[in-house]
C-alpha cells in the first residue's frame, strides 16, 4: 500500500517501461521526489520556528519548485528529462550555497556533490555522469581558486540553521544516496538472476538443437544413401526395360500391346529420372548452371515421351515453338518443368490438342503449354499465380496434381522464372513459363 502511494506519480512511466534498470531509475525518481517534499516541508516549518527568514524563503521557493515538479511527473513527464531537471536543481543549490547564501563550505553542500555524482551515473549513464559530476565539482574548484579559505573547520550546515534543520538536511541527502544504491543494486541483482535463468534456458535449448542437428544429419545421410540406392536399383532396371521393349516394338510394329508396354516403360523411366534428378538436386544443393537451350528440340523430346498416352486419349501434339528459339537456362530443370506440365495437360484433355507455343517480348520470353481440356480449378490457378509455395488445402487438387505442380513451382524459382496460368480461349488452360532475358 505504502509503495503504491510512493510510486503513484510515476505510474504512467512504469507502465510503459519494460527494462529492469530503467524501472529502478523511475522508482528512485519517485521516492526521491516524495522524500524531497517531506524534508523541504519540515525545513520550512523549522526555519520559521527558528526565525531564520532567508532560509525559510529559500525553503518555500524550493518547495514550490518540487510541487510543480511532482505535478509534471504525475502527468507523464518523461523520466529522463525529469532526471536532468533534478540534476540542474541540485546544481543551483550547490552554486547558491557556495556563493550567495553561505559563502563557504558546509557538509550539506558537500553531500549534494555526492548526490549529483551518484544520481547522474546511476540515473543517466556514464556520459551524463561524467558531465554532471564535472559540473558539480567546478564551483568547489572555482571557490578555492578565487582565494577563499575553508577556515579551521567545515560547518555542518547553512549559517543560521539549528540542529534539527541540519539533521533533516543531512538525513535527506544520506537517505537519497541509500535509495539510489539500494534500487540500482537490486536491479543489478535482478538482471543477473534473469540472465542466469535465460542462460540455463538457452543452454538447454542449444543442447536440444544440437541433438536435433545430429538427428537431421543422420537422417540426411540416410536419405542420400536411399536416393543413391533407388537411383541404382530402379533406374537401371527401368532403363533396361525401356530399351528392351523399345527394341521389341521396333521388331514387331504390328503388336499393339508391345508398343503400349514400350511407351509406358519409356514414360515411366523418364518420370523416375526427372523425379530422382530433382531430389538429388535438392539434397546435393547443387549450384544451378545455365547453358543455351534449343526449345523446339526440347519440346519435341517431351512430346515423344507422351506420344503413346496422347494416342490413348485421342489427343494431338502441336509444337508451336519455331526452330532457333534459344534461351539460356538449366537444361535439367527446364526439362522437368516441361515434362510435368505436358503430362498434366495430356491427362486433363481427351480428344483435344496440347500445344507448346511461345511469345517473345523485349525483356521476357513466354513458353506456353496450352490444352483444350476442361480448365484448371480456380484454387489451383490462383495458387500458381501467387507467391505461395504450399498447395491449397483442397483434397481434389492434391489428388489431381500430386507433387508435380509443387515441384514445378519450386524449380521455377531456382531457374529465375515464374509461372502464370490463364484461360485458353475458347476452352482449356494456358500455363506460361516466363523467362527473364
Amino acid at each position: 500500500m505504502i509503495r503504491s502511494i510512493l510510486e503513484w506519480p510515476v505510474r504512467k512511466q512504469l507502465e510503459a517501461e519494460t527494462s529492469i534498470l530503467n524501472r529502478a531509475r523511475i522508482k528512485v525518481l519517485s521516492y526521491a521526489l516524495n522524500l524531497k517534499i517531506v524534508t523541504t516541508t519540515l525545513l520550512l516549518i523549522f526555519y520559521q520556528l527558528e526565525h531564520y527568514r532567508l532560509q525559510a524563503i529559500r525553503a518555500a521557493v524550493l518547495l514550490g519548485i518540487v510541487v510543480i515538479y511532482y505535478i509534471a511527473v504525475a502527468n507523464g513527464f518523461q523520466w529522463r528529462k525529469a532526471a536532468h531537471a533534478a540534476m540542474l536543481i541540485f546544481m543551483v543549490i550547490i552554486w547558491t550555497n557556495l556563493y550567495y547564501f553561505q559563502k563557504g563550505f558546509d557538509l550539506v553542500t558537500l553531500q549534494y556533490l555526492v548526490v549529483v555524482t551518484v544520481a547522474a551515473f546511476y540515473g543517466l549513464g556514464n556520459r551524463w555522469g561524467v558531465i554532471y559530476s564535472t559540473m558539480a565539482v567546478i564551483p568547489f574548484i572555482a571557490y578555492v581558486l578565487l582565494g577563499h579559505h575553508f577556515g579551521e573547520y567545515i560547518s555542518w550546515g547553512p549559517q543560521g540553521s539549528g540542529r534539527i534543520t541540519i539533521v533533516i538536511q543531512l538525513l535527506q541527502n544520506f537517505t537519497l544516496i541509500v535509495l539510489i544504491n539500494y534500487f540500482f543494486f537490486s536491479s543489478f541483482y535482478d538482471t543477473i538472476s534473469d540472465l542466469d535463468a535465460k542462460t540455463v534456458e538457452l543452454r538447454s535449448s542449444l543442447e536440444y538443437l544440437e541433438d536435433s542437428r545430429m538427428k537431421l544429419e543422420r537422417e540426411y545421410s540416410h536419405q542420400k544413401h536411399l536416393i543413391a540406392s533407388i537411383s541404382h536399383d530402379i533406374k537401371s532396371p527401368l532403363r533396361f526395360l525401356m530399351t528392351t521393349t523399345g527394341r521389341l516394338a521396333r521388331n514387331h510394329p504390328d503388336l499393339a500391346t508391345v508398343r503400349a508396354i514400350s511407351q509406358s516403360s519409356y514414360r515411366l523411366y523418364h518420370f523416375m529420372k526427372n523425379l530422382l534428378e530433382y531430389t538429388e538436386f535438392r539434397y546435393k544443393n547443387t549450384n544451378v548452371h545455365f547453358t543455351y537451350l534449343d526449345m523446339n528440340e526440347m519440346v519435341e523430346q517431351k512430346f515423344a515421351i507422351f506420344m503413346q498416352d496422347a494416342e490413348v486419349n485421342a489427343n494431338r501434339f502441336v509444337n508451336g515453338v519455331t526452330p532457333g528459339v534459344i534461351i539460356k537456362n538449366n537444361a535439367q530443370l527446364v526439362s522437368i518443368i516441361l515434362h510435368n506440365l505436358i503430362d498434366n495437360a495430356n491427362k486433363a484433355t481427351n480428344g483435344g490438342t496440347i500445344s507448346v507455343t511461345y511469345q517473345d517480348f523485349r525483356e521476357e520470353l513466354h513458353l506456353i503449354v496450352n490444352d483444350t481440356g476442361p480448365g484448371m480449378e480456380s484454387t489451383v490457378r490462383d495458387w500458381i499465380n501467387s507467391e505461395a509455395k504450399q498447395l491449397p488445402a483442397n483434397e481434389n487438387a492434391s489428388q489431381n496434381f500430386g507433387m508435380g505442380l509443387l515441384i514445378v513451382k519450386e524449380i521455377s524459382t531456382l531457374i529465375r522464372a515464374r509461372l502464370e496460368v490463364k484461360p485458353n480461349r475458347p476452352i482449356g488452360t494456358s500455363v506460361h513459363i516466363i523467362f527473364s532475358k
Side-chain angles (χ1 to χ4, degrees), residues 136-194:
V137 80
I138 284 175
F140 290 93
I141 296 174
Y143 186 84
V144 174
L145 293 177
L146 289 173
H148 295 96
H149 298 285
F150 294 123
E152 296 181 357
Y153 68 96
I154 299 175
S155 63
W156 286 94
Q159 294 178 4
S161 299
R163 292 181 179 180
I164 296 177
T165 53
I166 291 175
V167 168
I168 291 172
Q169 292 182 78
L170 292 174
L171 285 177
Q172 166 192 268
N173 292 333
F174 176 76
T175 305
L176 185 54
I177 295 170
V178 170
L179 279 174
I180 294 170
N181 283 281
Y182 173 79
F183 277 102
F184 280 96
F185 276 97
S186 294
S187 69
F188 173 76
Y189 294 135
D190 289 343
T191 303
I192 294 297
S193 299
D194 187 52

Side-chain angles (χ1 to χ4, degrees), residues 96-113:
T96 54
N97 277 357
L98 282 173
Y99 294 99
Y100 185 74
F101 290 104
Q102 297 165 226
K103 297 182 181 179
F105 282 98
D106 62 60
L107 190 56
V108 171
T109 307
L110 289 173
Q111 270 190 325
Y112 274 111
L113 172 62

Side-chain angles (χ1 to χ4, degrees), residues 211-389:
D211 185 54
S212 299
R213 185 186 65 81
M214 293 180 67
K215 288 180 180 178
L216 285 173
E217 284 185 354
R218 289 195 294 268
E219 183 65 22
Y220 177 71
S221 178
H222 172 72
Q223 293 290 345
K224 285 200 297 184
H225 286 100
L226 181 61
I227 291 169
S229 176
I230 291 173
S231 181
H232 179 268
D233 296 340
I234 292 182
K235 272 179 67 177
S236 296
L238 282 177
R239 187 187 298 111
F240 174 77
L241 179 63
M242 179 187 67
T243 55
T244 302
T245 55
R247 191 179 302 113
L248 286 171
R250 286 192 298 273
N251 293 336
H252 303 280
D254 55 329
L255 297 178
T257 304
V258 173
R259 289 202 315 271
I261 293 173
S262 174
Q263 287 292 333
S264 296
S265 62
Y266 187 76
R267 181 185 170 205
L268 181 60
Y269 169 76
H270 281 88
F271 171 77
M272 288 300 299
K273 179 175 177 290
N274 284 338
L275 184 60
L276 288 171
E277 284 177 351
Y278 166 72
T279 308
E280 286 176 348
F281 188 89
R282 288 196 63 187
Y283 273 95
K284 291 180 181 178
N285 197 24
T286 309
N287 291 328
V288 181
H289 298 291
F290 286 8
T291 57
Y292 289 100
L293 311 175
D294 187 326
M295 298 312 300
N296 174 272
E297 182 181 339
M298 183 176 287
V299 171
E300 287 293 341
Q301 291 173 357
K302 292 304 170 184
F303 280 168
I305 296 173
F306 298 104
M307 190 60 69
Q308 183 65 38
D309 286 343
E311 291 177 3
V312 171
N313 293 343
N315 290 330
R316 184 170 63 97
F317 285 146
V318 176
N319 187 354
V321 180
T322 57
V325 176
I326 307 296
I327 65 169
K328 188 176 182 180
N329 216 295
N330 183 275
Q332 179 184 351
L333 298 180
V334 173
S335 175
I336 293 173
I337 291 178
L338 264 180
H339 186 103
N340 279 278
L341 293 180
I342 293 173
D343 188 19
N344 284 342
N346 191 44
K347 286 178 181 177
T349 306
N350 283 285
T353 302
I354 291 90
S355 64
V356 179
T357 59
Y358 77 100
Q359 293 177 349
D360 195 354
F361 298 99
R362 182 186 295 272
E363 297 181 355
E364 295 177 340
L365 177 75
H366 290 224
L367 192 65
I368 309 164
V369 179
N370 307 285
D371 66 63
T372 56
M376 187 178 289
E377 289 186 17
S378 60
T379 52
V380 180
R381 183 179 66 245
D382 293 341
W383 168 73
I384 292 175
N385 292 337
S386 71
E387 295 182 359
K389 291 184 178 180

